[in-house]
Amino acid sequence: MSFDAPLDAAGLHLFDVLAWRLARALPGLRSGGHLGRMRGAGEIFADVAPLLAHPDPRRLDLRRSISDPFGTLSTRRFQARTDLRLHLLLDGSASLAASGSADRWGLMRLLAAGFAQAARRGQDLCAASLCCGAGIAHQEPPSRRPGLAQELLATLSGLHPQGRGIDALLAATAELPTERILVVLVSDFELTPAELQQILTALRPRPVLPIWLRDRALEQPAPRFGLIDAQDPETGRRRTQLAARRWAARQAAAATAARAALRAVFSEHGLRPVEIADSIEVAELAARLDEAPL
Amino acid sequence: MIGLTQPWALALLPLAALPLFLRWLRASAVPRLDLRPVDGASRAVDHGLKALGILGLGALVLGLAQPYLRGGSVVHRGIGTNLVLLIDRSSSMDDTFAGRSPSGAEESKASAARRILMDFIAGRPDDRIGIAAFSTAPMLVLPMTESRSAIASAVSALAEPGLSQTDVGRGLTLAMGMAAQEAATGARAVVLVSDGAAVISPEVQVMLRNLAAQQPMNLYWLYLRSKGSKGIFEQPQPGEADTPQLRPERHLHIFLQSLRLPYHAFEADSPGAVEAAVAEIGRMESRPILTRRPVPRRELGWLCYLIAALAAAGLTAARALERPWAEARVKPLLVLP
């Protein structure tokens, strides 16, 4: 079953299933859904501490206290749960406007709203930066307010992909905190390996979830004979192409090689992008998020 | 040398640069074009379409300016001579070789001479020919020219009835003068076509000798002999009177021989004999000659429009082959299981 008009508030509940789990414990006192470094009330046992150091007689460890030869009373400590800031770093450069079998700008808007919805459900703060080439077109401050997903959807619907380059992405990255943050980098990754390297290096040491919006028709043009006047939406440069079977095979091979080169860069940074080709399958997206090395 | 009938149209020539700024095919958005491979054929088509656009517009503008190649003449090296035809227009030329008025299928000497000369001229495209006629007085019919149509018209114009007298001496003066004045290179020849002669006065004889001394030329006399008349080669019988008044043809022959020019006389008493004589003259007057051939003005507008049409056809074919990078078949944003 396909859902062709999900860009309304009613469709966003589908993203409630999205969840992210970081490998490392986070500092912080605010309660949330992620494992914290702090000890406190929680479900996951952490360690045992002297009652004097951790005066919580409700969690007195009777077995350990009785068996202690020095009669020291011990209490059990549990890992506290804390929240984090989910920062949506959206690459809205003009290349996103190119469309074959996917509306990648629509995918980006839907994902942004969906992640905002899931963040609220997971008690996380959600922030967003829409980077269009050299400038940041829209910035959403961290918030947990209800209706943020719908607002984000409406705001992004009034904007269009524009600009070229990665300057805005780098600028937005520089302003991000390094602790208690998960950066969701949503992009079509129409980048050179060097540019991607630059972005990922700038995002270190923050945990990053790259989401790769792919358009299969652009990657594999049809082998039908004809003339194509291709225009780069970022630079405006145009070039006529003589399309034929061999040409299409060459383009597909080049696209495959380019993707492999970008994946290698992700691997260098210990990342594995979640690739969305043409359409979003929420269940599959949730499964990929679960597997993502964060 | 190229000229323009409407040179103001060249003011539109900057329009030919439009294809450098405007694209002919509809754009298809493709991200990061710089990262995609380019093949030589695509590059050639890219440049070719621009070139076709420039060529098409340029040729169209040039066509509006109506270019042409200026006419003139070119030097031509052929086989022939500078020939002056001196034709007798006396009334006797309108009789047949039998000496009577033509009837039925009979041909007069004048018409036979015209027909044979027309064929002669048609077969010698490199000759520069002038035409003079004489009867009571000499007439310059056509100055020396290479124009075949003018020569043919001039020969045809000699079909008018002739006059009574035969002033061959002044006719020869005119013809030799025409041949002598001709500044062009190559051999010169005067062909006298007549059916009779007359006494040449002493002063005219002096003029002719002077002309012969000034400019060497070949001299031919095609004598159209009528039935019963004396031949020019016939010696008088002993006791027969031999004066220029009685035997003007024979004495003209002797006089022409005395000019010390290459001289040949032919006696023809039938159209066939005339043809043979003219063919013999043609053989003898086949020498290298430099002539000028007229080159008419040639319009080049059609060529410009043809080039513009071909360029437009190429661009139309390109539009017919146009296709997008990827067919716009956008899949739904969300797929639910």
Side-chain angles (χ1 to χ4, degrees):
Chain A
M1 181 174 131
S2 67
F3 193 65
D4 211 5
L7 294 180
D8 56 30
L12 292 177
H13 72 278
L14 296 167
F15 291 86
D16 285 348
V17 296
L18 298 186
W20 40 92
R21 189 170 60 230
L22 269 61
R24 56 194 160 183
L26 301 173
L29 294 171
R30 292 195 62 130
S31 64
H34 305 277
L35 287 178
R37 287 185 202 157
M38 302 298 289
R39 301 293 182 253
E43 307 89 47
I44 300 171
F45 174 75
D47 57 7
V48 175
L51 180 65
L52 289 175
H54 191 79
D56 186 0
R58 292 173 301 170
R59 291 181 173 80
L60 197 67
D61 189 339
L62 286 174
R63 190 183 62 79
R64 191 179 180 96
S65 299
I66 291 168
S67 60
D68 191 286
F70 301 103
T72 306
L73 295 175
S74 301
T75 55
R76 289 178 184 170
R77 295 200 302 180
F78 295 85
Q79 280 188 316
R81 287 199 166 270
T82 188
D83 66 346
L84 57 70
R85 169 177 167 181
L86 182 78
H87 194 97
L88 301 168
L89 196 56
L90 309 173
D91 174 12
S93 59
S95 62
L96 215 62
S99 175
S101 56
D103 173 10
R104 294 191 290 180
W105 174 237
L107 289 174
M108 178 175 280
R109 284 180 288 164
L110 184 59
L111 277 173
F115 270 98
Q117 174 81 7
R120 176 169 160 66
R121 177 70 65 179
Q123 300 177 334
D124 287 331
L125 284 163
C126 182
S129 306
L130 176 64
C131 305
C132 293
I136 299 173
H138 178 70
Q139 240 177 344
E140 194 69 43
S143 170
R144 269 195 200 89
R145 69 178 183 278
L148 175 63
Q150 289 83 351
E151 281 175 31
L152 203 53
L153 191 60
T155 305
L156 294 181
S157 296
L159 299 171
H160 299 283
Q162 56 184 322
R164 61 181 289 201
I166 57 169
D167 292 349
L169 279 173
L170 295 175
T173 303
E175 292 174 6
L176 295 178
T178 55
E179 294 281 2
R180 297 177 61 223
I181 189 168
L182 169 62
V183 179
V184 179
L185 175 59
V186 187
S187 172
D188 54 7
F189 293 112
E190 297 286 358
L191 304 169
T192 61
E195 287 170 331
L196 181 61
Q197 185 77 262
Q198 210 177 341
I199 294 169
L200 296 181
T201 305
L203 282 169
R204 266 182 179 168
R206 307 169 188 88
V208 178
L209 173 66
I211 295 189
W212 193 340
L213 304 178
R214 287 177 49 194
D215 187 323
R216 285 205 179 98
L218 289 178
E219 292 167 2
Q220 291 185 317
R224 184 162 61 87
F225 182 78
L227 292 176
I228 302 168
D229 195 23
Q231 183 176 31
D232 191 323
E234 291 195 13
T235 62
R237 279 191 59 197
R238 293 173 78 162
R239 203 161 67 196
T240 305
Q241 306 267 318
L242 179 64
R245 192 179 297 276
R246 208 168 142 195
W247 170 86
R250 205 165 158 222
Q251 293 295 330
T256 305
R259 285 199 303 278
L262 293 182
R263 285 193 193 107
V265 176
F266 280 121
S267 293
E268 281 175 31
H269 288 264
L271 301 173
R272 189 168 62 240
V274 175
E275 298 184 19
I276 293 175
D278 299 342
S279 301
I280 300 169
E281 285 187 48
V282 179
E284 194 184 332
L285 177 62
R288 293 279 177 83
L289 277 183
D290 204 38
E291 296 166 1
L294 296 174
Chain B
M1 189 73 178
I2 293 179
L4 297 170
T5 307
Q6 306 284 352
W8 57 266
L10 291 184
L12 301 172
L13 207 54
L15 288 175
L18 275 180
L20 294 175
F21 309 104
L22 299 175
R23 304 285 292 194
W24 179 245
L25 301 178
R26 277 187 291 267
S28 181
V30 181
R32 291 313 293 258
L33 211 51
D34 53 326
L35 301 181
R36 295 178 191 267
V38 191
D39 56 328
S42 294
R43 201 177 287 119
V45 168
D46 199 11
H47 294 322
L49 283 180
K50 269 185 202 162
L52 274 181
I54 292 170
L55 188 69
L57 284 171
L60 198 61
V61 170
L62 209 57
L64 289 174
Q66 297 178 20
Y68 60 85
L69 272 179
R70 291 187 206 282
S73 59
V74 291
V75 175
H76 173 71
R77 188 174 187 277
I79 299 294
T81 189
N82 296 296
L83 190 68
V84 179
L85 294 172
L86 178 61
I87 297 171
D88 184 359
R89 291 299 300 121
S90 63
S91 57
S92 59
M93 284 288 283
D94 296 331
D95 295 337
T96 64
F97 283 94
R100 58 174 181 267
S101 295
S103 61
E106 285 181 323
E107 203 175 23
S108 69
K109 285 178 279 187
S111 65
R114 272 198 314 276
R115 175 174 59 78
I116 292 161
L117 285 175
M118 288 283 258
D119 292 343
F120 173 74
I121 290 162
R124 294 175 63 86
D126 298 329
D127 279 348
R128 189 183 295 109
I129 294 176
I131 296 176
F134 66 93
S135 58
T136 306
M139 289 177 286
L140 172 59
V141 178
L142 183 73
M144 299 293 279
T145 180
E146 293 91 359
S147 169
R148 309 330 274 176
S149 57
I151 295 166
S153 302
V155 173
S156 301
L158 297 175
E160 293 298 319
L163 301 175
S164 58
Q165 300 300 313
T166 304
D167 192 351
V168 66
R170 287 205 292 155
L172 271 171
T173 311
L174 174 64
M176 288 174 71
M178 283 168 69
Q181 283 171 9
E182 181 52 44
T185 57
R188 292 167 170 79
V190 172
V191 177
L192 166 63
V193 182
S194 78
D195 64 344
V199 176
I200 301 175
S201 62
E203 58 271 26
V204 173
Q205 285 188 22
V206 171
M207 284 170 68
L208 287 171
R209 286 187 200 286
N210 287 341
L211 281 169
Q214 282 170 15
Q215 179 66 55
M217 63 185 76
N218 296 341
L219 197 57
Y220 300 93
W221 183 15
L222 178 56
Y223 173 53
L224 307 179
R225 182 180 174 187
S226 302
K227 191 176 178 184
S229 61
K230 297 276 188 186
I232 56 175
F233 304 117
E234 277 182 37
Q235 296 294 326
Q237 298 295 322
E240 189 182 351
D242 184 18
T243 61
Q245 285 75 18
L246 291 173
R247 299 283 302 275
E249 292 83 10
R250 176 176 143 70
H251 282 271
L252 177 60
H253 176 58
I254 293 165
F255 171 71
L256 294 177
Q257 280 177 320
S258 70
L259 288 177
R260 294 180 184 170
L261 290 173
Y263 167 66
H264 300 274
F266 302 89
E267 220 178 60
D269 53 5
S270 67
V274 174
E275 275 182 48
V278 167
E280 181 61 26
I281 294 170
R283 267 193 298 279
M284 286 191 282
E285 286 304 320
S286 294
R287 299 188 181 92
I289 182 173
L290 282 179
T291 59
R292 296 192 75 81
R293 281 195 174 172
V295 177
R297 165 177 155 156
R298 277 186 288 171
E299 296 296 332
L300 298 176
W302 67 272
L303 186 62
C304 297
Y305 291 130
L306 178 67
I307 292 169
L310 289 175
L315 291 172
T316 307
R319 281 301 285 262
L321 289 172
E322 185 183 62
R323 55 156 277 198
W325 181 279
E327 299 296 341
R329 290 191 189 123
V330 178
K331 293 185 179 169
L333 295 177
L334 207 55
V335 178
L336 301 177

